[in-house]
Amino acid sequence: MLNDLTSALSLLETRRSGRPREMVGPGPTPEEMARILAIATRIPDHGKLSPWRFVIVDDDQRNALAALLHQALGEEDPEATPAHHDKADEFARQGAAMIVLISAPVPDHKIPVWEQQLSAGAAGMQLLNAAHALGFVAGWITGWQAYSPMVNAAFCGAEEKIAGFIFIGHPGAEIIERPRPPLDAVARRWVPSKD
């Protein structure tokens, strides 16, 4: 059973993202969203810098986001077809709720930017876990939208980057497990050098 809520450990063992394009409502209430975001901040953060931000795109802002994506797509790919623009429109409207995760490192700090970016990634993962723990499904997507200078300018300040778009809702189709790597392919014991 995927996303098994019988215990914290069973959820972690079975957590599976939902496909944003298949999600249906309702999304989180304002209180649930505040709880999800508060949980997302409980992650490793060397230097206590909070080098990440969450930008909520409300339902009544989806048309404006779609317009931004159409404009950005025209700049990114002047030969984009109507089908590409349809996908941009679909992206702006999928999921019952949308949060843009921003990596916001503090420059010229003793904590390296790489560690600050890792903290932003941890915040994104914790956000997914929080949404799933509340009975939703969530999905984290990047795509060209996350790397577009125009889209980044609309959400980010100087030195910031979009780390991803996180969608929250309920599954509108069966969630299927994906292949996971065997542990012996990704984990090993350290063997010190004998030199």
Side-chain angles (χ1 to χ4, degrees):
M1 175 177 156
L2 296 175
N3 297 322
D4 180 359
L5 295 176
T6 56
S7 73
L9 198 54
S10 65
L11 175 59
L12 293 174
E13 290 174 329
T14 63
R15 192 209 65 81
R16 175 71 172 105
S17 294
R19 291 187 180 105
R21 67 180 176 273
E22 295 175 351
M23 288 179 190
V24 297
T29 64
E31 295 77 18
E32 289 170 324
M33 182 63 82
R35 192 173 186 192
I36 288 168
L37 295 176
I39 291 168
T41 67
R42 298 187 65 84
I43 46 95
D45 175 11
H46 302 157
K48 302 179 193 72
L49 300 175
S50 304
W52 23 259
R53 293 189 300 106
F54 309 107
V55 180
I56 300 166
V57 180
D58 288 321
D59 286 343
D60 62 356
Q61 298 169 324
R62 298 295 187 106
N63 288 339
L65 178 60
L68 169 66
L69 295 182
H70 287 297
Q71 186 179 359
L73 179 58
E75 187 175 279
E76 295 282 320
D77 182 5
E79 297 180 13
T81 66
H84 290 117
H85 282 277
D86 287 347
K87 279 198 162 286
D89 196 66
E90 178 184 307
F91 185 94
R93 300 175 200 292
Q94 63 191 3
M98 177 193 286
I99 300 164
V100 185
L101 174 61
I102 308 296
S103 173
V106 177
D108 303 317
H109 194 278
K110 68 177 183 178
I111 304 300
V113 168
W114 168 238
E115 290 188 29
Q116 296 182 55
Q117 291 168 332
L118 289 172
S119 184
M125 189 65 236
Q126 187 77 333
L127 196 156
L128 294 180
N129 285 332
H132 282 88
L134 283 172
F136 298 98
V137 291
W140 180 348
I141 295 179
T142 52
W144 69 266
Q145 300 89 338
Y147 302 101
S148 161
M150 183 179 290
V151 178
N152 270 267
F155 286 96
C156 300
E159 309 294 330
E160 297 180 348
K161 294 180 182 176
I162 293 175
F165 298 85
I166 298 177
F167 298 89
I168 303 172
H170 291 279
E174 181 184 2
I175 295 178
I176 308 292
E177 180 61 296
R178 69 169 179 78
R180 306 288 172 173
L183 282 182
D184 62 1
V186 296
R188 65 180 176 86
R189 296 200 179 279
W190 180 56
V191 179
S193 172
K194 293 182 181 177
D195 293 7

